[in-house]
Amino acid sequence: MLLLALDTATPAVTVALHDGRTVLASSHQVDARRHGELLLPAVQRVLAEASATPADLTDVVVGTGPGPYTGLRVGLATAAAFGAALDVPVRGLCTLDGIAYAAGLAGLAGPFAVATDARRKEVYWARYADPRTRITEPAVDRPAEIAEVLAGQPVVGAGGTLYREVFAASPSAELPAGGELPEHQSAAALAGLAVEMLAAGAEFPPCRPLYLRRPDAQVPANYKVVTPQ
């Protein structure tokens, strides 16, 4: 196995290679405005670091969000292109699931929530019983609207950091001693989760983007056609 994992649903442009036993190489750059510019060079770097070529890939896993439209589609389109060109399976995983899995690697047991920055003063979020078990569907809401639902639980991710005061965990919430919780997605964690699921024969969700809301770019109302009929 040589599995390529990538995700552009958060400000992180993150790529990793996994051979079924360990992560061979990874790249992680945080830049919310340069997903399209940074992703393919990152893939090239991790392949070179692992002394591999695209032809060696056997699987592709991509984060399906939720995430902003522009960034999210970069990763999904790139994964689809690799799958088509190399004739290898492309599987999708919820980006929040990858962050939850990374939190488990850092020592967080659960229950907890994952929240990423959705802009517009909102967060993408979901609740987890443990790092591998999501118990709610991904959603997008204002932090104050879900603060009561998440009260007393650690909230992992950039959304939890950005709205720390709103999502204040109770003193009884058990955080990993000395552990550093993830803020953005990690392709290395996403790859590890995918490898576990493949080994267990688990079913993957549909490889479709979780936009959860309409894109910012809209056709203006009462649009006037100026081209000749």
Side-chain angles (χ1 to χ4, degrees), residues 7-217:
D7 198 316
T8 57
T10 72
V13 180
T14 181
V15 179
L17 281 177
H18 202 296
D19 67 357
R21 297 180 299 274
T22 189
V23 175
L24 300 178
S26 63
S27 173
H28 189 85
Q29 298 167 277
V30 178
D31 193 326
R33 298 182 180 276
R34 298 174 64 208
H35 292 96
E37 180 182 345
L38 297 175
L39 182 57
L40 283 177
V43 172
Q44 293 173 333
R45 281 197 305 275
V46 298
L47 286 170
E49 186 177 336
S51 300
T53 69
D56 297 320
L57 297 175
T58 61
D59 300 86
V60 177
V61 171
V62 59
T64 59
Y69 179 82
T70 303
L72 179 54
R73 66 180 178 172
V74 170
L76 286 161
T78 301
F82 272 108
L86 303 173
D87 193 25
V88 298
V90 178
R91 299 178 176 89
L93 281 176
C94 174
T95 296
L96 303 178
D97 292 355
I99 297 174
Y101 184 82
L105 296 179
L108 190 61
F112 61 90
V114 174
T116 60
D117 183 15
R119 305 173 188 172
R120 304 184 193 173
K121 298 182 179 179
E122 294 178 331
V123 294
Y124 298 116
W125 67 282
R127 293 174 57 203
Y128 292 79
D130 59 60
R132 294 169 179 81
T133 309
R134 176 159 44 87
I135 56 177
T136 64
E137 291 299 315
V140 57
D141 290 288
R142 290 184 178 272
E145 296 172 345
I146 57 175
E148 186 175 346
V149 175
L150 304 185
Q153 301 178 33
V155 181
V156 181
T161 302
L162 187 60
Y163 300 101
R164 190 186 306 275
E165 293 183 0
V166 179
F167 294 136
S170 71
S172 61
E174 295 184 5
L175 295 171
E180 184 175 348
L181 294 176
E183 183 168 355
H184 302 300
Q185 175 66 295
S186 160
L190 194 71
L193 176 59
V195 168
E196 275 194 17
M197 292 177 64
L198 287 168
E203 184 176 350
F204 283 73
C207 191
R208 294 196 296 264
L210 296 170
Y211 292 128
L212 300 191
R213 65 186 183 200
R214 296 179 64 82
D216 292 330

